[in-house]
């Protein structure tokens, strides 16, 4: 790692100000993805602005029936504290990485990075959650803009995520055992006005909604509803030594079916 | 250089570090606490596992400055006050839960974190919790037995034996 300046502000305002004064500075929220990238010199910021000292960015609370989660809340805390209020989300958080990674990695960091195989983007898109930043609220459908790309502007910090709570939901992950990321995973959530299905780990475009499955499951929320639906086109799916695009496309349907069955 | 202060094994410590200094390097180089090992330096292997505010973390993937004010526990703080081995450490010896010993500090710290969260884990829970700790010698069975024994539970032959 090249050296960098290190700033650990106590407020969101100070963090935003630090990022605004230095275009080469980077927001750092646990660093379980960013640190390995910096060690490989894939990222070499002039300054690291750590968000872990900002109390206002931590914790979970009920907000008019919706679940508010501070952006610097760790996966371990979500796994523990959302177990009653949003079990499918807690289950997802409890399967990210390993216990040590879950003790440092945060929901905001995961979303801002938008790894095409990360777990949290599936929950946020699949729940139709709202991403709150220091300057605005962004609907999940508008937040994810492709592999490692989001609607965040330069220097904009995710401060919270607000989840509506579905009647039923489930995350099913086909785990790549070495990286512990999903090879492909599906987040399925049933709301009063319809079903949302979000897929991660499959598309070169990052997390996406599988709308054909959503339509079928809105009609009848049962695994059989997927019987007559073809998996998404293998074209545009991630293809690497762990699995071909066609294999991942097949997994999309398998994991969606499992999620519905276990919701 | 930046000044950093934290508590390590109950003792207040401070030092001068660079922005990029890893917690594990602060422990090993500045404090000479070399019991915490660096295996992979990529957060895969868990040899560098320490506790930070009672949670297990990979010290190779935490910046020293991000641990400002934190309460850190390392393998050096695991033994009993009289110097005898802790229950977990003794169980690793009794059940031959180590061979070369390189992963052992991380394994013991992971085991201690698990037993704090889940005092009587199932064998499956032990194996799942050790997901981020790699051992290339033992095949894990004896490590699992040691942790089961340390939790006060009966040690039964494991499935794959």
């Amino acid at each position: 790692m090249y050296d960098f300046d290190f700033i650990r502000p106590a407020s969101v305002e100070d963090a935003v100000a630090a990022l605004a004064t230095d275009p080469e500075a980077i927001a750092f929220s646990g660093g379980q993805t960013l640190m390995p990238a910096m060690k490989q010199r894939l990222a070499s910021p002039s300054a690291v602005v750590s968000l872990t000292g900002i109390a206002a960015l931590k914790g979970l609370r009920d907000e008019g029936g919706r679940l508010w989660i501070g952006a610097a809340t760790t996966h371990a805390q979500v796994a523990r504290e959302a177990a009653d209020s949003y079990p499918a989300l807690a289950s997802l958080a409890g399967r990210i990485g390993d216990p040590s990674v879950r003790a440092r990695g945060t929901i905001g960091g995961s979303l801002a990075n938008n790894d095409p195989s990360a777990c949290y983007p599936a929950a946020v898109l699949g729940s139709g959650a709202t991403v709150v930043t220091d300057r605005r609220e962004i609907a999940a459908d508008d937040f994810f803009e492709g592999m490692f790309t989001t609607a965040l502007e330069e220097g904009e910090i995710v401060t919270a995520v607000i989840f509506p709570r579905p009647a039923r939901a489930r995350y099913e992950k086909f785990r790549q055992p070495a990286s512990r990321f999903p090879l492909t995973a599906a987040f399925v959530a049933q709301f009063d006005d319809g079903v949302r299905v979000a897929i991660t780990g499959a598309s070169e475009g990052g997390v996406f909604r599988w709308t054909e499955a959503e339509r079928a499951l809105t009609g009848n929320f049962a695994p059989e509803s997927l019987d007559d639906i073809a998996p998404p086109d293998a074209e545009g799916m991630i293809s690497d030594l762990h699995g071909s695009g066609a294999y991942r496309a097949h997994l999309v349907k398998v994991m969606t079916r499992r999620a519905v069955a276990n919701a | 250089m930046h000044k950093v202060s934290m508590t390590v094994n109950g003792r207040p410590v401070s030092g001068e570090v660079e922005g990029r200094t890893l917690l594990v390097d602060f422990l090993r180089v500045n404090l000479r606490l070399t019991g915490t090992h660096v295996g992979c330096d990529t957060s895969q292997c868990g040899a560098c596992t320490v506790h930070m505010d009672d949670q297990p973390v990979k010290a190779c993937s935490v910046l020293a400055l991000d641990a400002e004010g934190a309460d850190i526990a390392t393998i050096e703080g695991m033994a009993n006050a009289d110097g005898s081995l802790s229950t977990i450490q003794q169980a690793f010896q009794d059940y031959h839960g180590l061979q070369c010993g390189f992963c052992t500090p991380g394994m013991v710290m992971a085991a201690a974190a698990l037993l704090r969260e889940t005092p009587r884990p199932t064998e499956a829970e032990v194996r799942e919790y050790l997901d981020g700790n790699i051992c290339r010698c033992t095949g894990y069975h004896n490590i699992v037995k040691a942790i089961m024994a340390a939790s006060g539970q009966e040690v039964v032959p494991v499935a794959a034996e």
Side-chain angles (χ1 to χ4, degrees):
Chain A
M1 260 190 304
Y2 292 111
D3 197 20
F4 43 78
D5 195 13
F6 181 90
I7 305 154
R8 194 160 178 252
S11 73
V12 173
E13 294 70 27
D14 289 351
V16 171
L19 290 166
T21 53
D22 181 356
E24 299 298 316
I26 193 164
F28 185 94
S29 187
Q32 298 303 287
T33 297
L34 193 47
M35 293 245 338
M38 284 158 57
K39 286 180 181 178
Q40 293 179 67
R41 297 180 175 174
L42 296 172
S44 44
S46 59
V48 160
V49 180
S50 176
L51 307 178
T52 62
I54 305 175
L57 293 183
K58 294 182 183 181
L60 297 82
R61 63 173 182 256
D62 179 75
E63 204 170 85
R66 300 190 300 170
L67 176 63
W68 181 99
I69 303 180
T73 308
T74 64
H75 310 326
Q77 193 176 351
V78 173
R80 278 195 307 272
E81 296 182 19
D84 293 328
S85 55
Y86 197 166
L89 184 69
S91 166
L92 173 150
R95 286 181 278 162
I96 297 172
D98 60 50
S100 300
V101 169
R102 293 196 287 274
R104 292 297 295 163
T106 64
I107 184 168
S110 171
L111 295 177
N113 188 51
N114 193 20
D115 186 299
S117 297
C119 294
Y120 263 132
V124 170
L125 189 61
S127 304
T130 302
V131 179
V132 185
T133 76
D134 60 275
R135 60 200 73 170
R136 58 184 168 147
E137 296 194 351
I138 308 171
D141 286 318
D142 300 324
F143 183 79
F144 302 104
E145 296 189 340
M147 192 179 274
F148 297 111
T149 310
T150 69
L152 292 172
E153 296 165 355
E154 285 298 314
E156 186 174 14
I157 295 175
V158 178
T159 55
V161 187
I162 303 175
F163 289 91
R165 287 160 50 194
R168 284 192 286 180
R170 179 70 189 168
Y171 180 63
E172 287 291 343
K173 167 178 174 177
F174 193 94
R175 192 170 173 269
Q176 207 280 72
S179 73
R180 306 174 189 116
F181 275 85
L183 195 61
T184 289
F187 193 97
V188 172
Q190 184 187 31
F191 293 91
D192 291 344
D193 60 352
V195 173
R196 293 175 71 103
V197 178
I199 306 295
T200 188
S203 171
E204 289 176 345
V207 67
F208 69 96
R209 284 173 69 183
W210 188 20
T211 49
E212 292 89 343
E214 290 182 350
R215 273 196 297 276
L217 292 167
T218 298
N220 177 23
F221 192 77
E224 308 83 77
S225 298
L226 300 170
D227 286 350
D228 299 328
I229 297 176
D233 195 343
E235 195 69 27
M237 292 290 164
I238 298 167
S239 191
D240 58 22
L241 77 167
H242 304 299
S244 66
Y247 183 66
R248 281 184 164 86
H250 179 74
L251 274 181
V252 167
K253 184 166 170 177
V254 172
M255 302 321 288
T256 303
R257 181 191 294 273
R258 285 186 194 172
V260 174
N262 295 326
Chain B
M1 298 290 272
H2 303 256
K3 183 166 189 283
V4 66
S5 303
M6 63 189 83
T7 303
V8 177
N9 299 327
R11 190 166 60 94
V13 297
S14 58
E16 295 276 320
V17 296
E18 291 184 310
R20 64 180 167 181
T21 302
L22 304 173
L23 176 59
V24 72
D25 290 326
F26 179 69
L27 294 171
R28 289 178 55 86
V29 178
N30 292 58
L31 303 182
R32 304 303 298 162
L33 294 173
T34 53
T36 301
H37 291 168
V38 179
C40 67
D41 197 30
T42 59
S43 72
Q44 301 287 317
C45 82
C48 66
T49 304
V50 301
H51 296 180
M52 180 169 171
D53 296 329
D54 291 337
Q55 298 230 56
V57 299
K58 293 180 176 179
C60 80
S61 296
V62 176
L63 294 172
L65 288 164
D66 227 6
E68 171 67 34
D71 187 9
I72 304 292
T74 73
I75 190 70
E76 286 88 349
M78 285 302 285
N80 298 321
D82 65 1
S84 61
L85 296 180
S86 70
T87 303
I88 293 171
Q89 289 171 310
Q90 187 62 53
F92 269 71
Q93 187 181 82
D94 293 345
Y95 288 87
H96 199 64
L98 64 154
Q99 287 181 32
C100 86
F102 196 85
C103 73
T104 310
M107 286 287 179
V108 169
M109 298 312 287
L114 166 64
L115 297 186
R116 189 188 300 121
E117 279 176 38
T118 311
R120 294 175 66 82
T122 63
E123 186 199 317
E125 286 172 331
V126 173
R127 290 182 183 277
E128 190 182 327
Y129 203 89
L130 296 181
D131 207 9
N133 291 80
I134 294 174
C135 172
R136 298 290 75 161
C137 304
T138 64
Y140 301 98
H141 292 334
N142 288 351
I143 293 172
V144 175
K145 285 181 184 173
I147 297 171
M148 293 300 281
S151 70
Q153 302 186 90
E154 188 185 354
V155 176
V156 294
V158 292
E161 282 186 334

